[in-house]
């Protein structure tokens, strides 16, 4: 049952950074927007040790109290405004997974 399990994690993996300037502009607003909506940053960066497969160029892991908080932060006006600055600048996967 989604949303009732406790801690949830937003994970972003960037397979290609096409425009580092767009990523930087996005980050200026996205980080604060997600933090003020309940996110705790657990990991973020490009220094990735690959144990199997091709590593992403960048990865981010954020923790939320639950999946509903993650959804609320993602859908917040502040985050969506920052997200517009990223359009066309990266290829990424973004998803939420619930903790155990």
């Amino acid at each position: 049952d989604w949303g009732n399990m406790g801690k949830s994690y937003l994970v972003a993996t960037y397979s290609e950074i096409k425009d580092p300037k767009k990523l930087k502009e996005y980050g200026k607003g996205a980080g604060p927007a997600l933090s003020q909506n309940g996110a705790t940053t657990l990991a973020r960066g490009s220094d990735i040790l690959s144990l199997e497969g091709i590593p992403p160029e960048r990865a981010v892991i954020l923790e939320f109290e639950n999946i509903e908080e993650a959804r609320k932060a993602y859908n917040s006006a502040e985050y969506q405004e920052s997200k517009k600055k990223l359009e066309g600048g990266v290829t990424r996967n973004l998803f939420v997974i619930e903790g155990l």
Side-chain angles (χ1 to χ4, degrees), residues 5-17:
M5 301 291 288
K7 301 282 186 184
S8 291
Y9 303 89
L10 184 146
V11 179
T13 58
Y14 294 76
S15 57
E16 184 180 6
I17 298 172

Side-chain angles (χ1 to χ4, degrees), residues 31-100:
L34 293 170
S35 292
Q36 72 188 31
N37 281 287
T40 299
T41 302
L42 299 181
R44 175 181 63 217
S46 299
D47 190 12
I48 298 170
L49 170 65
S50 176
L51 299 177
E52 292 185 21
I54 300 168
E57 286 189 29
R58 181 175 179 76
V60 178
I61 302 172
L62 304 176
E63 181 180 69
F64 289 89
E65 285 301 312
N66 54 55
I67 199 163
E68 201 48 52
E69 291 297 315
R71 187 177 292 139
K72 181 179 148 191
Y74 176 81
N75 290 323
S76 71
E78 300 88 358
Y79 178 75
Q80 289 299 313
E81 189 61 35
S82 293
K83 186 179 163 209
K84 290 177 187 176
K85 297 175 182 174
L86 189 59
E87 289 179 7
V90 301
T91 301
R92 71 176 180 175
N93 290 311
L94 185 78
F95 58 92
V96 177
I97 186 169
E98 286 193 310
L100 300 176

